[in-house]
Amino acid sequence: MIISHLRAFIKFKGDSFLLPSQNPLSSSRFSPHAALLASLLHSNSFSNNGDRPLSRYQKVANLDDAFNLFDEMTQRRPLPSVVKFNQLLNAVAKMNHFSCSLDLFKQMCLIGVPVNEYSMSIAIKCCCQMSRTNDGFALLASCFRRAVVPNVYIFSTLLDGLVIEDRILEAENFFKKLIKQKLCEPDVVMYSTMIKGLCKFGNNDIAIGLLRLMDERGCKPNVVIYSTIIDSLCKDKLIEDAFKLFKEMVFAKGIQPDVITYNSLIHGLCNLCRWDEVSKLLKEMEEDLRISPDLHTFSILVDALCKEGRVDEAEAVIDIMVERRVVPDIVTYNTLIDGYCLRGEMTKARTLFDSLTSKGFVPNVVTYSSLLNGYCRSLKIEEAMHLFHEMTRKGLKPCIVTYSTMLQGLFRVGRCGAARKFFDEMQAQGLIPDECTYGIILDGFCNNHQVEEALSLFHLVA
DNA sequence: TTAGGGTTAG
């Protein structure tokens, strides 16, 4: 159903000058809902946002270029404006080199560049993205010394840092304090950050309450806010509530959904195996709204089909992706490898794994863990061990899932001693066992008639 | 001229 729908749409795209209702492949006529959706979409989609060409400071391609440019800037007299420094700082942060960006910020301060609220917010974001939100707050304190007045950008970034670190109570208190003490008026981004935090901790109802409140306070919710809550409801399998909110967003509020909104809904339906509705939604987004599925959409479909054991169809989806010039990424391939592994098709999994390099991909910790899991499930523990050592040799750091997978495999073949060693090694690496790890260990010892060992571990935990 | 939020894999 999904495959045939996606195939049909390739042909449909070829005739895209036709209105959906005129297209012979479109099974239903344009519904009033679809017409409204389409009018919403087309009314805003061609606005010019006035993009300027990027400056040389924003265009740096790699770290070396960034450092060279920074050095050159610091030699100039007079010094370039803080704007140029900020652009470079941000470009480095965008490359996910947060620590380097922070170093550049510190150097800016040392050489006397008059840093402003833009520089501060970039530096604070770097701290937060590295889970060093406390350092971000230290920078906030330094704003006062530097005569920089913190604004809603800076506060939102810090709030997001608390959410990233799962410090939800502190996030809530910080948010309330900002409002109560009138330190800033929250805008749509700050509300969305708070709502994301609430959703992350399962407080969907409070998140919806905040959505109502922001509206009452005159801050209009947008597609990001709605999509955040819709996604959370979908993840909690509250799909009817998600669709209710989706309809409210589109029909009552006149906010157009985008591909991210649809991806969340499609994912939610996939998790419930409601395939007919997945097809319907794909059709609606493509034919009525002209929103093309993207890499995420395809990865969600590939993953869902693999989990259902429908690996052949998952392969077909990847073929369709390629035909539509959506380039699969490592996530797509990891999903497929996992699909083969779950079906015990280790030769296929291995062949795909081995072909990744020639496709231009570097296997990551998830790729290795998936393949390891396949070997462990097939009781090919030596192959799993070999792969484990290969990944560490290549400089990949096994994570808690990798270790847990190995532990499960070792217990399956009765190698409790080796499992214990892995468990100790894992802790020596600074990895903290999670509930899943303990479950595997307890099961493993018990199934191998070493209840005492299991109990001793349990007492250790308790 | 420069800064903040939502979707995918083990």
Side-chain angles (χ1 to χ4, degrees):
Chain A
M1 179 82 170
I2 285 170
I3 307 294
S4 63
H5 166 72
L6 286 172
R7 286 212 183 285
F9 195 69
I10 292 177
K11 292 179 193 159
F12 172 75
K13 289 279 265 197
D15 296 329
S16 58
F17 54 86
L18 291 175
L19 281 172
S21 56
Q22 295 172 299
N23 192 291
L25 289 160
S26 175
S27 59
S28 65
R29 295 193 61 80
F30 230 359
S31 69
H33 277 184
L36 175 56
L37 285 167
S39 71
L40 283 169
L41 183 72
H42 293 298
S43 61
N44 289 324
S45 57
F46 300 112
S47 65
N48 185 344
N49 61 8
D51 280 351
R52 291 171 178 281
L54 296 178
S55 72
R56 60 182 294 220
Y57 310 95
Q58 294 167 304
K59 275 196 294 198
V60 282
N62 56 54
L63 265 188
D64 276 348
D65 289 356
F67 284 135
N68 288 335
L69 185 54
F70 187 86
D71 282 344
E72 183 211 303
M73 289 164 77
T74 59
Q75 306 295 317
R76 281 187 233 158
R77 290 297 176 273
L79 282 170
S81 75
V82 64
V83 173
K84 289 175 177 133
F85 279 103
N86 289 344
Q87 287 178 333
L88 183 59
L89 219 56
N90 195 38
V92 174
K94 286 258 156 66
M95 290 189 273
N96 290 337
H97 292 298
F98 302 116
S99 173
C100 296
S101 179
L102 207 51
D103 284 344
L104 294 181
F105 169 80
K106 285 176 190 162
Q107 285 190 53
M108 275 168 69
C109 296
L110 281 174
I111 61 173
V113 178
V115 294
N116 60 14
E117 59 271 42
Y118 292 81
S119 341
M120 293 304 299
S121 73
I122 299 165
I124 290 173
K125 184 181 177 172
C126 290
C127 294
C128 293
Q129 291 293 319
M130 292 188 291
S131 293
R132 286 167 41 189
T133 305
N134 286 350
D135 292 344
F137 275 98
L139 281 173
L140 173 68
S142 79
C143 282
F144 303 102
R145 206 174 58 232
R146 297 179 194 284
V148 172
V149 179
N151 59 16
V152 70
Y153 284 78
I154 289 179
F155 290 130
S156 298
T157 308
L158 285 164
L159 185 68
D160 196 39
L162 292 172
V163 171
I164 288 171
E165 289 187 39
D166 293 340
R167 293 161 65 177
I168 189 66
L169 284 178
E170 288 167 85
E172 279 189 69
N173 288 335
F174 182 54
F175 180 70
K176 285 179 193 160
K177 184 177 160 184
L178 291 173
I179 297 175
K180 220 179 243 174
Q181 299 186 3
K182 295 193 167 35
L183 291 167
C184 76
E185 181 60 31
D187 65 2
V188 69
V189 176
M190 183 172 270
Y191 277 111
S192 85
T193 308
M194 191 64 250
I195 283 174
K196 177 181 74 174
L198 291 166
C199 289
K200 196 174 173 187
F201 280 80
N203 296 318
N204 292 328
D205 291 341
I206 303 176
I208 292 171
L210 192 53
L211 167 77
R212 307 290 175 230
L213 187 74
M214 66 180 284
D215 216 350
E216 281 168 24
R217 286 175 65 106
C219 181
K220 293 282 160 238
N222 61 11
V223 66
V224 175
I225 300 258
Y226 271 99
S227 299
T228 305
I229 307 178
I230 287 170
D231 183 64
S232 178
L233 292 167
C234 287
K235 289 207 165 78
D236 292 344
K237 301 198 190 302
L238 300 167
I239 198 85
E240 312 310 332
D241 292 339
F243 272 102
K244 207 172 126 194
L245 208 58
F246 176 76
K247 283 177 184 149
E248 172 190 307
M249 174 181 96
V250 177
F251 301 118
K253 298 290 179 187
I255 299 167
Q256 66 185 58
D258 60 16
V259 68
I260 299 182
T261 326
Y262 275 101
N263 285 344
S264 292
L265 288 168
I266 289 169
H267 197 191
L269 289 170
C270 283
N271 284 339
L272 296 168
C273 299
R274 287 162 62 165
W275 299 102
D276 287 353
E277 287 159 271
V278 171
S279 293
K280 217 175 107 191
L281 215 56
L282 279 166
K283 189 177 160 67
E284 177 183 300
M285 71 184 270
E286 295 177 11
E287 296 184 10
D288 297 344
L289 288 166
R290 307 291 174 92
I291 299 172
S292 295
D294 65 2
L295 180 58
H296 282 82
T297 326
F298 283 108
S299 291
I300 289 164
L301 294 174
V302 170
D303 180 48
L305 289 167
C306 283
K307 287 203 168 80
E308 279 265 286
R310 295 157 64 180
V311 184
D312 296 345
E313 288 168 79
E315 286 172 353
V317 170
I318 293 183
D319 289 343
I320 294 167
M321 279 174 83
V322 176
E323 282 175 52
R324 296 173 75 155
R325 296 202 179 85
V326 177
V327 184
D329 68 356
I330 190 70
V331 176
T332 325
Y333 285 113
N334 285 349
T335 306
L336 193 57
I337 287 174
D338 191 52
Y340 289 134
C341 288
L342 295 181
R343 293 218 311 191
E345 295 180 345
M346 292 312 295
T347 310
K348 279 189 176 174
R350 184 74 208 203
T351 307
L352 181 55
F353 177 86
D354 290 337
S355 74
L356 284 180
T357 317
S358 64
K359 287 187 165 82
F361 295 107
V362 181
N364 62 20
V365 66
V366 180
T367 328
Y368 274 96
S369 300
S370 299
L371 199 58
L372 272 177
N373 186 39
Y375 282 129
C376 287
R377 286 165 65 100
S378 311
L379 307 180
K380 292 178 175 166
I381 201 73
E382 289 311 322
E383 269 101 332
M385 288 279 225
H386 180 77
L387 212 58
F388 184 89
H389 291 125
E390 181 184 305
M391 73 180 281
T392 50
R393 258 203 322 278
K394 290 193 169 169
L396 280 172
K397 227 171 132 44
C399 66
I400 192 79
V401 180
T402 328
Y403 274 104
S404 300
T405 307
M406 282 306 296
L407 289 172
Q408 198 165 30
L410 288 165
F411 278 121
R412 270 204 188 110
V413 295
R415 290 174 59 176
C416 299
R420 182 79 218 206
K421 267 191 196 161
F422 259 87
F423 184 62
D424 293 340
E425 183 190 309
M426 180 185 98
Q427 288 175 301
Q429 296 289 323
L431 292 168
I432 299 159
D434 60 13
E435 274 180 38
C436 181
T437 324
Y438 278 112
I440 288 167
I441 299 240
L442 290 173
D443 272 359
F445 280 127
C446 290
N447 292 339
N448 284 285
H449 314 291
Q450 296 193 16
V451 181
E452 285 302 314
E453 191 82 20
L455 278 177
S456 75
L457 198 79
F458 183 75
H459 288 309
L460 215 67
V461 181

